[in-house]
Amino acid sequence: MLMENFQYYNPTKILFGKDVIDQLCTEASVYGKKCIIIIGQGSVKKSGLYARVLSLMNISGLEHVTFEGVKSNPLYQDAEEAIELAKENKVDLIVAIGGGSVIDTAKAVAMGFYADHSVWDFYLQKAPRPTKALPLLNILTLAATGTEMNSATVLQDTVSGMKKGYSAPCLFPKVSFLDPTFTQTVPLNYTAYGVADLISHSLEQFFGKGDAPLSDLYTASVIKLAIDYGLKIRKDPENFEYRSQIMWLATNALNGTLKAGKNSGDWGVHGLEHTLSVLYDIPHGAGLSIVYPAWLKQHQPQINAKLAFLAKHVFEIQETDEVLAANIFITQLEAFFTQIETPIRLNQADIHINDQEKIISNFKLNKVTGSVYPLGEKEYEEILAKMW
Amino acid sequence: MLMENFQYYNPTKILFGKDVIDQLCTEASVYGKKCIIIIGQGSVKKSGLYARVLSLMNISGLEHVTFEGVKSNPLYQDAEEAIELAKENKVDLIVAIGGGSVIDTAKAVAMGFYADHSVWDFYLQKAPRPTKALPLLNILTLAATGTEMNSATVLQDTVSGMKKGYSAPCLFPKVSFLDPTFTQTVPLNYTAYGVADLISHSLEQFFGKGDAPLSDLYTASVIKLAIDYGLKIRKDPENFEYRSQIMWLATNALNGTLKAGKNSGDWGVHGLEHTLSVLYDIPHGAGLSIVYPAWLKQHQPQINAKLAFLAKHVFEIQETDEVLAANIFITQLEAFFTQIETPIRLNQADIHINDQEKIISNFKLNKVTGSVYPLGEKEYEEILAKMW
């Protein structure tokens, strides 16, 4: 099998390290004089980061309005409200301060600002692809989704039970500020969910179509270090070096580096998890650490060679029998998730077997499938059976 | 040691795979209606690629003039001539077809087009950094330097014996077309020099300042596969898959992926090699395979741990004694260069010991040094002694 033809394009500028946000207003000044700040439910106010940003803006004369209240599983309805605020105030750019939910909402605001229809229409594929978006600058406070350096956004509509992703080249952030300091106080459970998320992103692309040896070794590198630092951080949660590594790993897991020579990935696991997080409001990473082992077991006959590759390069397992090595990889991955206390079974997330039908219905409603390993009703039941 | 604060920014769009140049004129149309085509000394005419490009341009109505004659060690004087031609014809963009020398010349033309002084003044650091450059699109025909996806250019002035690098953000190519087909007929010696070049780029950044575990594993991945495919290609030089891997490896070796968390690298070996290629017109990669082993031996006491890391991840050597593992890495690297028939000693490149003084003088003239491992007269002599 050959590499797939591919495009590699990522114009986001990353400024990484301690105090890089001191350059926020210099970078912002390229794009205009007035911004909308988008934040979540107050943690950046408690931490003092929001006040620091306002102070930088006030000193440099960057005008600002703030939208506060993005949920951890972000709603398109909040994005719509923020779009109204941005339009009323005729802003030139967006400054998002937060994790994936805040940045994904900010991307919706970026494209919704120029649209004359509901921003949700983009996600429902009912509107033409946007060619214009407000410039977006991010200050990241949670290492997990990689949205700080890609063109994708995921929002949900709790009313209809739909969670939808969307992507367009105009949604690449202009600049993302990655200061690991701002993640030092993230609790260990959310740190673990972030690590599960970044490992899942790596795996989704690893199981994409195409034979890409460099991307595969890069992927093993990311997963290996995610496991190393995912364990280390538990003993010293404020360690700057460990936080730095996890932050940069999460960005790398979904900035294009791992998918060159493949199609964009399988993404069936994400489809399955999204329906769980819509139904139960569980953290995305916690859902992924439940779904991934089940998905790997379901497809194991087709992916033993790939899993054996990961066993060798991630866990340094020298086992030459492919099936045994693949088994070891799955077992060790589950053991790792358990060590960092992210769930690997639904009951650990308080989801119980009497919900079986409800979950399957939601898989059907969302027409969940993977682009390389298709999923249908039979697979829904078989995979779900492995999550109990 | 921590990661260094760093910026990661690379807006070049890569289109990779068979027949991607069919998209040339669509991509070019974003930037204007008239281009200057820059080519080397005729090989793209012989191969038919030049005619194919002209045909695409004629069909789509993209006007063009051509500058032909870039040397394999490119001269700033040729760039000046091409700048004149570009100015006379009031072009909107550049299409470079060739390897590193052609693209590096095209970058000089891109910035020189807007300058009212010799383009060489940029390289000599006598002119302010350019903020504007002609848009540059490349069709790559040789996997080696990585210039297709970075903002650097290296030219030389044979008269003064100076070879100088230069870099500015406006020099990132807009689009580079990487079709491995165009490298299938590259002779094995130049293929080998390209592999030596990409390994050297990886090493230069590996020896940069800063502790960046992910960049280090990425680097080992690139070198490991460069060695695998560098050997495979010799048995089947037109193999599309092997050519694909080598092409993408060369791009990755110098597009920023390997240096995140480090300063930009050491680059002392490149400094030493540049003076050799100015004096003797030897291919850059052939010079590098001579200089690198000598440089590694010179600095071995300081870099044993790093070399042991490479021994483990590149050659899968399980030796736990750091010094022994480091020795094995250097020996195996030399053995690999020898297997692919790129020289590891000066006499293999017809440079003989009676030139000792002349070479040292040229090191001094160019004030060659590394940014992490400084070089002075003592080191010049000691390293040179290891090249015979």
Side-chain angles (χ1 to χ4, degrees):
Chain A
M1 195 165 55
L2 296 174
M3 292 214 280
E4 297 278 297
N5 276 18
F6 65 93
Q7 178 179 310
Y8 188 99
Y9 173 63
N10 193 325
T12 299
K13 186 196 284 187
I14 296 291
L15 295 174
F16 191 103
K18 204 165 175 53
D19 294 329
V20 288
I21 67 161
D22 290 346
Q23 298 164 64
L24 172 66
C25 296
T26 310
E27 295 289 339
S29 67
V30 174
Y31 302 103
K33 293 183 175 170
K34 187 166 191 179
C35 72
I36 179 170
I37 302 173
I38 299 181
I39 61 176
Q41 298 180 289
S43 67
V44 298
K45 286 189 167 172
K46 281 180 219 136
S47 72
L49 173 56
Y50 178 73
R52 184 171 164 191
V53 170
L54 289 196
S55 163
L56 287 167
M57 289 182 177
N58 292 338
I59 289 167
S60 74
L62 180 63
E63 292 175 67
H64 49 84
V65 291
T66 297
F67 177 85
E68 179 176 355
V70 175
K71 318 295 183 296
S72 64
N73 276 316
L75 308 179
Y76 87 83
Q77 290 89 344
D78 283 335
E80 301 256 278
E81 266 191 56
I83 290 166
E84 281 318 299
L85 186 66
K87 284 182 175 175
E88 279 164 25
N89 286 278
K90 299 188 174 65
V91 303
D92 306 310
L93 67 145
I94 305 173
V95 174
I97 316 174
S101 55
V102 170
I103 296 173
D104 281 8
T105 301
K107 287 179 180 175
V109 176
M111 60 181 161
F113 185 82
Y114 292 108
D116 55 6
H117 53 75
S118 165
V119 74
W120 193 232
D121 288 349
F122 289 121
Y123 296 78
L124 296 175
Q125 306 288 343
K126 284 185 185 168
R129 183 173 287 260
T131 53
K132 206 175 164 189
L134 280 176
L136 168 61
L137 285 73
N138 302 304
I139 300 171
L140 188 67
T141 63
L142 184 73
T145 74
T147 187
E148 64 276 9
M149 199 180 179
N150 65 44
S151 60
T153 159
V154 180
L155 293 184
Q156 70 181 50
D157 173 17
T158 309
V159 181
S160 69
M162 307 270 269
K163 184 155 188 162
K164 291 283 175 194
Y166 194 73
S167 174
C170 64
L171 298 182
F172 277 108
K174 297 296 182 192
V175 191
S176 287
F177 299 85
L178 274 57
D179 182 343
T181 313
F182 304 139
T183 67
Q184 281 174 307
T185 52
V186 173
L188 280 181
N189 58 350
Y190 274 85
T191 304
Y193 305 150
V195 169
D197 197 10
L198 86 87
I199 289 175
S200 301
H201 292 160
S202 307
L203 290 173
E204 293 280 21
Q205 296 163 96
F206 182 71
F207 292 112
K209 190 177 152 217
D211 194 16
L214 184 60
S215 294
D216 287 349
L217 281 177
Y218 280 176
T219 300
S221 304
V222 168
I223 298 176
K224 182 184 176 59
L225 293 175
I227 290 172
D228 287 354
Y229 288 97
L231 292 171
K232 281 181 178 169
I233 197 75
R234 298 183 65 77
K235 296 186 180 151
D236 188 4
E238 296 202 12
N239 184 295
F240 183 81
E241 183 203 339
Y242 303 166
R243 291 287 180 185
S244 299
Q245 301 308 334
I246 293 172
M247 192 172 218
W248 186 231
L249 289 165
T251 303
N252 272 260
L254 205 47
N255 70 354
T257 307
L258 307 189
K259 76 171 185 192
K262 307 210 171 197
N263 73 352
S264 69
D266 183 67
W267 298 102
V269 171
H270 270 70
L272 295 166
E273 194 290 321
H274 284 165
T275 69
L276 292 179
S277 63
V278 170
L279 285 177
Y280 301 103
D281 202 31
I282 55 172
H284 178 51
L288 290 167
S289 62
I290 294 168
V291 180
Y292 236 119
W295 186 95
L296 294 175
K297 290 170 195 168
Q298 173 73 19
H299 295 96
Q300 207 189 324
Q302 296 159 268
I303 59 176
N304 272 319
K306 284 175 173 284
L307 293 174
F309 172 91
L310 291 178
K312 177 179 175 187
H313 291 281
V314 172
F315 292 117
E316 303 190 18
I317 302 294
Q318 302 298 323
E319 176 59 57
T320 51
D321 183 284
E322 209 168 83
V323 178
L324 284 184
N327 288 341
I328 295 173
F329 177 77
I330 297 174
T331 307
Q332 298 242 29
L333 185 66
E334 288 196 332
F336 166 70
F337 285 149
T338 302
Q339 278 177 284
I340 64 170
E341 297 186 74
T342 180
I344 57 171
R345 296 295 181 270
L346 286 167
N347 55 4
Q348 294 173 320
D350 257 334
I351 303 169
H352 299 287
I353 198 151
N354 47 349
D355 277 8
Q356 177 102 3
E357 282 314 304
K358 177 171 143 191
I359 297 170
I360 298 273
S361 304
N362 212 268
F363 288 161
K364 289 184 201 164
L365 171 72
N366 281 279
K367 295 180 185 132
V368 172
T369 191
S371 77
V372 184
Y373 303 89
L375 302 173
E377 287 192 35
K378 179 169 159 287
E379 287 78 16
Y380 294 158
E381 287 182 14
E382 289 172 359
I383 291 179
L384 192 56
K386 297 178 174 70
M387 296 187 212
W388 303 111
Chain B
M1 195 164 56
L2 297 173
M3 292 215 280
E4 297 279 296
N5 276 18
F6 65 92
Q7 178 178 312
Y8 188 98
Y9 173 63
N10 193 327
T12 299
K13 185 196 284 188
I14 296 290
L15 295 175
F16 191 103
K18 204 164 174 55
D19 294 329
V20 289
I21 67 161
D22 291 345
Q23 299 164 63
L24 172 67
C25 295
T26 310
E27 295 289 340
S29 67
V30 175
Y31 302 104
K33 293 182 174 172
K34 186 164 192 179
C35 72
I36 180 170
I37 302 173
I38 299 181
I39 61 176
Q41 297 180 290
S43 66
V44 298
K45 286 189 167 173
K46 281 180 219 138
S47 71
L49 173 57
Y50 179 72
R52 184 171 165 192
V53 170
L54 288 197
S55 164
L56 287 168
M57 288 182 177
N58 292 337
I59 290 167
S60 73
L62 179 64
E63 292 175 66
H64 49 83
V65 292
T66 297
F67 177 85
E68 178 176 356
V70 174
K71 317 296 183 295
S72 64
N73 276 316
L75 308 179
Y76 88 84
Q77 290 90 343
D78 284 335
E80 302 256 278
E81 266 190 54
I83 290 165
E84 281 318 299
L85 186 66
K87 284 181 175 176
E88 277 163 25
N89 287 277
K90 298 189 177 64
V91 304
D92 305 311
L93 67 144
I94 305 173
V95 174
I97 316 174
S101 55
V102 169
I103 297 173
D104 281 9
T105 301
K107 287 178 179 174
V109 176
M111 60 181 162
F113 184 83
Y114 293 108
D116 54 6
H117 53 76
S118 165
V119 73
W120 192 232
D121 287 349
F122 289 121
Y123 295 79
L124 296 174
Q125 305 288 344
K126 283 185 185 170
R129 183 173 289 259
T131 52
K132 206 175 166 191
L134 280 175
L136 169 61
L137 285 73
N138 303 303
I139 299 171
L140 188 67
T141 62
L142 183 73
T145 73
T147 187
E148 64 276 10
M149 199 180 179
N150 66 44
S151 61
T153 159
V154 180
L155 293 184
Q156 70 181 50
D157 173 17
T158 309
V159 181
S160 69
M162 307 270 268
K163 185 156 189 163
K164 290 284 174 192
Y166 194 72
S167 173
C170 64
L171 298 182
F172 278 107
K174 296 296 182 193
V175 191
S176 288
F177 299 85
L178 274 56
D179 181 344
T181 313
F182 305 139
T183 66
Q184 282 174 307
T185 53
V186 172
L188 280 180
N189 58 350
Y190 273 86
T191 303
Y193 305 150
V195 170
D197 197 10
L198 87 86
I199 290 175
S200 301
H201 292 159
S202 307
L203 290 173
E204 293 280 20
Q205 296 163 97
F206 181 71
F207 292 112
K209 190 177 151 217
D211 193 16
L214 184 60
S215 294
D216 286 348
L217 281 177
Y218 280 176
T219 300
S221 304
V222 168
I223 298 175
K224 180 183 178 60
L225 293 174
I227 289 171
D228 287 356
Y229 287 98
L231 292 171
K232 281 182 178 169
I233 196 77
R234 298 183 66 76
K235 296 185 180 152
D236 188 4
E238 296 201 12
N239 184 294
F240 183 81
E241 183 204 339
Y242 302 164
R243 290 288 180 184
S244 299
Q245 300 309 333
I246 293 172
M247 192 173 218
W248 185 233
L249 288 166
T251 304
N252 273 260
L254 204 48
N255 71 354
T257 307
L258 308 189
K259 76 172 185 191
K262 306 208 173 201
N263 73 350
S264 68
D266 183 67
W267 298 101
V269 171
H270 269 69
L272 295 166
E273 194 290 321
H274 284 164
T275 69
L276 292 178
S277 62
V278 170
L279 285 176
Y280 301 104
D281 202 31
I282 55 172
H284 178 52
L288 289 167
S289 62
I290 295 168
V291 179
Y292 236 119
W295 186 93
L296 294 175
K297 289 170 195 168
Q298 173 73 21
H299 294 96
Q300 207 189 323
Q302 296 159 268
I303 59 176
N304 272 319
K306 284 174 174 283
L307 293 175
F309 172 90
L310 291 177
K312 177 180 175 187
H313 291 282
V314 172
F315 293 117
E316 305 190 18
I317 301 295
Q318 302 298 324
E319 176 58 58
T320 52
D321 183 285
E322 210 169 84
V323 178
L324 284 183
N327 287 342
I328 294 171
F329 177 77
I330 297 174
T331 307
Q332 298 241 30
L333 184 67
E334 288 196 332
F336 166 70
F337 286 149
T338 301
Q339 277 177 285
I340 64 169
E341 296 186 73
T342 180
I344 57 171
R345 296 292 182 274
L346 286 167
N347 55 3
Q348 294 172 319
D350 257 334
I351 303 169
H352 299 288
I353 198 148
N354 46 351
D355 277 8
Q356 177 101 4
E357 281 314 304
K358 179 171 143 189
I359 297 170
I360 299 271
S361 303
N362 213 269
F363 288 161
K364 288 184 201 166
L365 172 71
N366 280 278
K367 294 180 188 136
V368 172
T369 190
S371 78
V372 183
Y373 302 90
L375 302 172
E377 287 192 34
K378 181 169 159 286
E379 287 79 15
Y380 294 159
E381 288 185 12
E382 289 172 358
I383 291 179
L384 192 56
K386 297 177 174 70
M387 295 187 212
W388 303 111

